[in-house]
Amino acid sequence: MTIDWSQFTPWSSLAGGILIGISVSVLLLWNGRIAGISGVVGGILSRNRNELAERIAFIAGLIIAPGLVWMILERPTVQIDSGIPAIILAGLLVGLGSRLGSGCTSGHGVCGLARLSVRSLVATLTFMAAGFITVYVLRHLLGV
Amino acid sequence: MRILIALCSGLIFGFGLILSGMSNPVKVLGFLDLAGQWDPSLAFVMVGAIATAIVPFQWVMRRQRTLLATTPQLPTSTQIDKRLLIGSLIFGTGWGVAGFCPGPALVAAGAGMPLAILFVVAMLAGMGLFNLIDKRFMNA
């Protein structure tokens, strides 16, 4: 392992993390809901239509955030290296897996760990390990 | 009021993802690539988010009351079962393929990136697939 110092952004990443912590805290403090993205989106898709307006408002916030940043500051950096088949496969896996496992990086990784939930800790370690292994296999064994 | 709170929370979440670099898949893959040129930045995102949220979360959990005087809806399951493990494995694999998890994908789609929009469509299809499987096999 070598650390890529040229890409290392500890302060902006920490500050961004703090904003995410504030966001999930605001939703819990006032609305009493867990800000798990896969759960919020999944709830819109399923027949369980309670709090539909709230769910849509939360997702709308996520979607308009980059436009506001672009208008006020600069265009957000989004670099996508994957081809179309990889994107489709990845999207299907992320959608299916996050619903089956009842959460993703936000629901288990942030909110679950802030709740000190062992179940979320196990989920987080599992999906992080799967992510590390997948990148290892794709980049270093298959050379994709 | 609740809708406005949800909108603000989503906005702040989106700003956080952009500022932290999480909304950039190349950076996420740089974090997941332990054996290559490793970029540890995203560990700082997790630390910052959890350290900030832990006190408000523990407070609401103890009080069982929100600031709007309603009862919070917290996950009750503590079970570590096959669903949790298999689901997390599938999710992590997909995360490693493209570097997108649900939140950053929505932000990148909002930035107008066509591949991110495609990812979101595929992700919604994956969630739809879950609803089908769930209805058919699990709650039968």
Side-chain angles (χ1 to χ4, degrees):
Chain A
M1 181 198 292
T2 44
I3 291 187
D4 189 354
W5 295 108
S6 67
Q7 300 297 318
F8 187 44
T9 54
W11 298 115
S12 58
S13 287
L14 190 68
I18 291 171
L19 282 180
I20 292 169
I22 293 172
S23 155
V24 298
S25 300
V26 163
L27 200 69
L28 185 66
L29 281 169
W30 275 274
N31 286 12
R33 292 297 177 270
I34 296 289
I37 314 285
S38 57
V40 175
V41 176
I44 296 174
L45 285 182
S46 73
R47 281 179 308 169
N48 173 20
R49 288 280 160 97
N50 59 339
E51 296 159 1
L52 188 62
E54 274 172 51
R55 290 171 187 272
I56 290 173
F58 180 83
I59 300 300
L62 274 178
I63 292 176
I64 59 178
L68 289 178
V69 170
W70 198 346
M71 267 164 46
I72 298 162
L73 294 165
E74 54 175 18
R75 184 174 184 173
T77 314
V78 182
Q79 302 158 280
I80 306 174
D81 266 358
S82 316
I84 289 176
I87 287 285
I88 294 174
L89 173 70
L92 286 170
L93 293 174
V94 165
L96 175 65
S98 60
R99 293 296 286 148
L100 185 62
S102 311
C104 57
T105 339
S106 49
H108 282 311
V110 177
C111 297
L113 295 188
R115 288 191 298 115
L116 304 176
S117 154
V118 176
R119 177 177 143 92
S120 286
L121 177 64
V122 170
T124 304
L125 293 176
T126 305
F127 67 65
M128 291 200 57
F132 286 133
I133 292 168
T134 302
V135 171
Y136 182 76
V137 170
L138 289 178
R139 285 198 179 171
H140 301 286
L141 296 184
L142 300 175
V144 179
Chain B
M1 179 67 177
R2 292 179 60 101
I3 292 170
L4 196 65
I5 298 280
L7 177 70
C8 290
S9 173
L11 268 176
I12 299 168
F13 205 114
F15 294 149
L17 288 173
I18 293 166
L19 178 62
S20 66
M22 278 285 312
S23 57
N24 183 1
V26 164
K27 193 165 178 70
V28 174
L29 292 175
F31 169 72
L32 292 176
D33 190 7
L34 285 177
Q37 288 281 309
W38 190 48
D39 174 5
S41 307
L42 297 192
F44 288 71
V45 186
M46 293 287 280
V47 169
I50 295 164
T52 307
I54 194 160
V55 171
F57 268 62
Q58 293 301 318
W59 186 70
V60 171
M61 283 166 72
R62 206 153 307 160
R63 231 169 69 113
Q64 284 297 316
R65 209 107 195 108
T66 67
L67 295 176
L68 297 178
T70 57
T71 308
Q73 213 175 73
L74 292 155
T76 48
S77 175
T78 54
Q79 218 183 344
I80 294 159
D81 52 12
K82 259 193 284 181
R83 270 177 85 127
L84 182 83
L85 296 174
I86 295 171
S88 298
L89 274 176
I90 295 173
F91 163 55
T93 304
W95 192 32
V97 169
F100 269 135
C101 51
L106 288 166
V107 169
M113 305 290 291
L115 283 173
I117 296 169
L118 180 65
F119 180 95
V120 169
V121 172
M123 179 177 86
L124 295 175
M127 290 179 171
L129 188 65
F130 164 78
N131 287 345
L132 278 179
I133 297 172
D134 196 40
K135 213 162 52 184
R136 220 77 190 229
F137 301 106
M138 312 219 177
N139 296 337

